[in-house]
Amino acid sequence: MSKKPAPRANISALLQEKRVFKPAAEFSARAHVKTFAQYRKLWLESVRKPDAFWRKQAKAELVWQKPFAKVLQWKEPFAKWFVGGRLNASANCLDKWLETAHANKAAIIWEGEPATDGRAGEERVLTFRQLHREVCRFANVLKRHGIKRGDRIIIYLPMVPEAVVAMLACARIGAVHSVVFGGFSAQSVADRVQDSGARMIITSDGGYRRGAIVALKKNVDEALAITDANGDRPAKSCEKVIVVRRTGHEIHLAEGRDFWWHRELDYVDANCPAVPLDSEAPLFILYTSGSTGKPKGILHTTAGYLLGAKMTHKYVFDVRDEDVFWCTADVGWVTGHSYIVYGPLANGTTCVMYEGAPNWPEPDRFWRIIEKYRVSILYTAPTAIRAFMKWGDDWVKKHDLSSLRLLGSVGEPINPEAWMWYHNVVGGGRCPIVDTWWQTETGAIMITPLPGATPTKPGTATLPFFGILPEVVDDSGKPVPKNTGGKLVVRKPWPWMLRGIWGDPARYKETYWSEVKHSYFTGDGCRQDEDGYFWIVGRIDDVLNVAGHRIGTAEVESALVSHPSVAEAAVVGRPDELKGQALVCFVTLKTGQAATQDLKNELRNHVGKEIGPVAKPDDVRFADALPKTRSGKIMRRLLKQIASGMEIKGDTTTLEDLSVLAKLSNPDE
Ligand code: PRX
């Protein structure tokens, strides 16, 4: 591992896409924002007079238990939004609907993965009223186990409705949830327990994935054994584990520590008033990869985040009462937080939630689900779209997708070919596509078309949402000319921005607010075209985007060197048709270790075990030495070129030992 070099903004803009898709008149006529001029006017108003704009929006969109006094208190880099107000996120998502026609409307339509007859899965529907009742009951379970305002709770569940119930139950009593994606390993759970000082873990016996059982409870047992052995489990942390029964396979329950979710419900009633919480009360922590060191606990707070999730969901997806919205992300990612839970529920929208894999039992599972529930808005990731393309049009065409009226994309740049396929094959040429750019840190969508207003071009997230002021700048922080690559920054604070990194204000400042003066640094490279549209070209730091998952190369490197055979490791990305980027690891071994195929497999599995299957390297290559500068820095630029099979270009004069390069490029010679 080496210290990361300062990110450079010398990104060239190669992609030139000329096709433009104007919103259809019928779509615009019914949309919340109907014309480009109307969008422009609102956006200008929002950035010129942010105080008045946000005051009006926050009052109109959220239910307050106590009104706020001040819109923004900004002491760079620390923001407080809607100062002095009190509200509750769970009340905004649930209680608000109880006295309305929405009370008995479906909030969540859930479908399990196992498909008994080879076609349809198990089904559960929760109305807003039923979800409210489940949330109140489970919040009472939390209270009964001594959970208090401000306590952190780790949620490590498959995609089952209990995940949503658990999140909202935390929000109801002011506990802070930290959802850990079910694909992460015991070690990752242990790291998050330790960093967050969580008092409880909510998990399940297991979950289904492509027909197999993922043993979540077993991972939790291992995670707690790791923290106990390290002696680094803070006092009073993770005294309790609540276990949802999902798969029904046999698991170990530790006496006095582990409790079945369904049994605990027997001891409580459904009466649990929502606690009025400060606008800035922490709502959740979500861990994400950065360019160096361990994952960062990104902190989001109540009012600003909720306003962002609600407003973006309403305007970007142009939701109406009759819509059936399906965001295919896992609740373990920020996309699931904002567009399965907080945004849609705060808007009273019916959401589909699917437990499993898109190709289980066959590659048409998504299209079956859309047909079955008459989904009208689909929000998914380019990596999934590319997989569907590969599986072939026939799987899509077998199904009636006429209910779809809008498509969304998130997580990585969508290549124009995939955009066109999505548009034509899935959308039947009639559905607008909203390509939405944002990050775990930004909390909700930042750059996006509004489907009734913004002409789209395949491959660009187009223009900023209300109140967002992004810019593309050079290394000195000056805006670059049109069609020139640079760093993407955001010039002003916005309500749904992260409030910090859990327990590490210095790292927060250094990571996001030091690279470019008085601006939030996104870590992404970008260019603006002649129409001002933003084209994201990918990360410029040492973070990779593999199948829409953010993976820090430093994390994978440290997992590799934790293996007893490994001396040194460098991890880079290479372009991959399906996953966007693939993980390539260059590894040098300790003396006496044999470079065998078995060891390669072992190292891949080792990383999978340390971080989780999402981080399993695609390629492990043994090397005698890694290319380094004379000052000892690994030259990643060269490794990237080697990994992609490219000719080595650029300056190699600082390289310490030129023969290393020749060996890496021709490993068999
Ligand atoms: O590089 C950008 C890419 O995903 C990163 C954020 O990843 P994460 O925090 O995991 O959040 C993903 C879901 C919001 C960004 O820095 N990214 C996300 N959306 C897009 C994108 N790149 C291009 N176009 C997008 N629409």
Side-chain angles (χ1 to χ4, degrees):
M1 288 173 72
S2 68
K3 193 171 165 359
K4 66 160 184 155
R8 293 266 150 249
N10 54 351
I11 297 141
S12 52
L14 297 172
L15 209 66
Q16 295 291 342
E17 173 63 54
K18 297 280 176 229
R19 285 170 286 205
V20 178
F21 293 80
K22 295 215 173 84
E26 317 81 77
F27 192 102
S28 300
R30 298 188 61 194
H32 291 302
V33 179
K34 296 178 170 45
T35 62
F36 189 71
Q38 198 188 345
Y39 154 73
R40 250 335 261 181
K41 184 169 169 284
L42 276 165
W43 182 77
L44 283 173
E45 189 187 313
S46 71
V47 290
R48 286 186 181 150
K49 294 188 177 151
D51 211 76
F53 182 82
W54 291 123
R55 182 181 303 278
K56 188 167 139 201
Q57 298 297 335
K59 278 187 180 173
E61 299 284 352
L62 302 179
V63 181
W64 295 89
Q65 284 152 306
K66 180 180 165 227
F68 58 91
K70 193 172 175 198
V71 172
L72 171 65
Q73 184 183 308
W74 178 231
K75 283 193 195 130
E76 191 188 309
F78 299 101
K80 286 187 175 163
W81 283 90
F82 311 116
V83 183
R86 285 189 173 268
L87 76 171
N88 185 289
S90 117
N92 269 276
C93 291
L94 301 171
D95 307 44
K96 168 178 173 171
W97 305 114
L98 295 183
E99 304 304 323
T100 73
H102 288 72
N104 292 318
K105 176 182 175 179
I108 297 175
I109 301 177
W110 176 83
E111 174 152 320
E113 187 192 81
T116 41
D117 60 352
R119 283 159 206 286
E122 194 185 333
E123 211 177 282
R124 269 170 77 189
V125 178
L126 285 166
T127 64
F128 281 89
R129 191 190 301 288
Q130 287 167 330
L131 186 58
H132 174 264
R133 187 167 61 225
E134 293 310 312
V135 167
C136 288
R137 290 171 77 204
F138 192 67
N140 281 336
V141 170
L142 295 178
K143 287 201 272 189
R144 220 181 132 257
H145 282 278
I147 299 302
K148 303 220 153 44
R149 195 184 295 195
D151 286 345
R152 275 82 58 209
I153 299 203
I154 285 191
I155 300 176
Y156 182 58
L157 281 172
M159 283 283 283
V160 289
E162 282 79 3
V164 182
V165 172
M167 289 163 80
L168 292 171
C170 289
R172 198 158 186 90
I173 61 170
V176 185
H177 58 74
S178 184
V179 184
V180 177
F181 172 55
F184 277 133
S185 64
Q187 182 65 51
S188 300
V189 175
D191 292 345
R192 285 149 178 77
V193 165
Q194 194 205 331
D195 190 80
S196 65
R199 288 201 58 197
M200 178 186 267
I201 302 184
I202 301 167
T203 188
S204 72
D205 47 1
Y208 292 103
R209 191 72 192 174
R210 269 189 204 96
I213 288 179
V214 185
L216 295 173
K217 174 61 168 60
K218 193 167 149 274
N219 285 350
V220 168
D221 293 341
E222 270 178 53
L224 293 180
I226 294 171
T227 53
D228 283 342
N230 290 352
D232 54 9
R233 181 132 68 90
K236 295 199 88 175
S237 92
C238 285
E239 295 157 317
K240 305 275 174 74
V241 178
I242 307 248
V243 188
V244 175
R245 189 157 66 195
R246 169 67 190 128
T247 54
H249 72 284
E250 204 170 315
I251 54 159
H252 169 70
L253 285 191
E255 178 83 35
R257 188 194 74 180
D258 302 346
F259 303 86
W260 282 117
W261 169 298
H262 59 276
R263 294 253 168 83
E264 290 310 294
L265 290 179
D266 287 345
Y267 302 107
V268 295
D269 62 19
N271 181 17
C272 179
V275 176
L277 296 166
D278 191 275
S279 294
E280 285 297 334
L283 179 64
F284 66 85
I285 302 168
L286 195 54
Y287 285 85
T288 191
S289 297
S291 54
T292 49
K294 57 182 177 127
K296 306 170 281 199
I298 302 301
L299 174 68
H300 283 286
T301 57
T302 303
Y305 168 79
L306 193 61
L307 181 64
K310 182 171 196 290
M311 278 184 73
T312 53
H313 180 254
K314 172 170 159 184
Y315 288 103
V316 176
F317 300 106
D318 196 51
V319 282
R320 299 201 290 256
D321 255 353
E322 63 273 28
D323 275 315
V324 178
F325 181 80
W326 184 19
C327 163
T328 68
D330 192 283
V331 282
W333 308 117
V334 73
T335 310
H337 283 53
S338 303
Y339 302 106
I340 295 176
V341 186
Y342 291 105
L345 294 175
N347 283 323
T349 307
T350 297
C351 268
V352 169
M353 181 178 187
Y354 168 55
E355 180 181 38
N359 55 349
W360 188 264
E362 289 184 310
D364 63 345
R365 190 63 183 270
F366 273 25
W367 322 121
R368 276 186 195 285
I369 290 175
I370 291 171
E371 181 171 19
K372 182 172 169 194
Y373 302 110
R374 305 295 292 159
V375 170
S376 57
I377 305 171
L378 175 68
Y379 190 31
T380 194
T383 188
I385 298 167
R386 289 191 295 265
F388 294 132
M389 281 172 79
K390 198 181 95 187
W391 295 332
D393 299 9
D394 289 349
W395 292 109
V396 191
K397 289 187 173 151
K398 263 172 46 183
H399 297 277
D400 173 9
L401 305 186
S402 60
S403 57
L404 285 173
R405 65 180 197 91
L406 177 64
L407 303 172
S409 169
V410 61
E412 57 186 304
I414 177 165
N415 46 311
E417 199 193 348
W419 196 103
M420 290 307 300
W421 185 87
Y422 198 27
H423 180 74
N424 289 327
V425 181
V426 179
R430 74 183 177 277
C431 305
I433 295 181
V434 285
D435 173 1
T436 61
W437 176 88
W438 57 296
Q439 310 176 293
T440 306
E441 292 87 340
T442 70
I445 293 167
M446 301 284 282
I447 301 180
T448 176
L450 296 186
T454 318
T456 54
K457 306 178 194 180
T460 164
T462 75
L463 295 166
F465 190 73
F466 305 136
I468 308 300
L469 201 64
E471 216 161 17
V472 182
V473 301
D474 63 17
D475 285 330
S476 68
K478 285 201 203 74
V480 295
K482 290 280 154 70
N483 280 317
T484 309
K487 297 171 178 174
L488 179 65
V489 298
V490 184
R491 294 296 201 188
K492 276 173 189 265
W494 63 100
W496 47 99
M497 65 186 260
L498 77 165
R499 297 301 193 266
I501 295 177
W502 183 255
D504 201 346
R507 189 174 176 200
Y508 165 63
K509 198 167 171 183
E510 137 106 39
T511 311
Y512 302 109
W513 296 91
S514 307
E515 187 75 22
V516 177
K517 262 195 177 160
H518 307 307
S519 304
Y520 166 82
F521 175 52
T522 63
D524 280 353
C526 188
R527 78 175 161 99
Q528 270 185 286
D529 69 12
E530 52 289 348
D531 296 320
Y533 281 25
F534 290 82
W535 295 75
I536 308 292
V537 296
R539 304 286 307 184
I540 51 182
D541 55 14
D542 292 327
V543 176
L544 302 180
N545 195 326
V546 179
H549 303 311
R550 255 168 82 164
I551 297 171
T553 52
E555 262 178 275
V556 181
E557 286 165 2
S558 84
L560 284 166
V561 292
S562 74
H563 188 280
S565 306
V566 174
E568 210 173 20
V571 175
V572 295
R574 79 166 136 71
D576 182 275
E577 229 177 68
L578 219 54
K579 302 202 283 186
Q581 279 187 299
L583 273 174
V584 182
C585 307
F586 293 88
V587 170
T588 62
L589 296 176
K590 286 188 183 150
T591 326
Q593 301 291 330
T596 61
Q597 185 59 40
D598 281 353
L599 182 58
K600 275 190 189 179
N601 294 339
E602 193 180 317
L603 291 178
R604 292 186 65 237
N605 291 333
H606 178 69
V607 176
K609 189 156 183 293
E610 287 291 304
I611 306 175
V614 283
K616 251 191 183 177
D618 298 273
D619 197 354
V620 175
R621 300 193 191 177
F622 293 123
D624 294 336
L626 299 174
K628 288 190 187 158
T629 62
R630 283 168 205 172
S631 63
K633 282 191 191 135
I634 294 173
M635 295 180 81
R636 285 163 194 289
R637 176 173 55 82
L638 299 182
L639 288 176
K640 270 185 213 161
Q641 293 170 354
I642 293 167
S644 320
M646 287 166 18
E647 207 183 309
I648 299 191
K649 283 200 192 119
D651 188 14
T652 52
T653 49
T654 53
L655 188 68
E656 193 192 29
D657 176 4
L658 266 174
S659 69
V660 167
L661 268 194
K663 277 199 197 137
L664 285 171
S665 310
N666 309 299
D668 300 328
E669 283 172 18

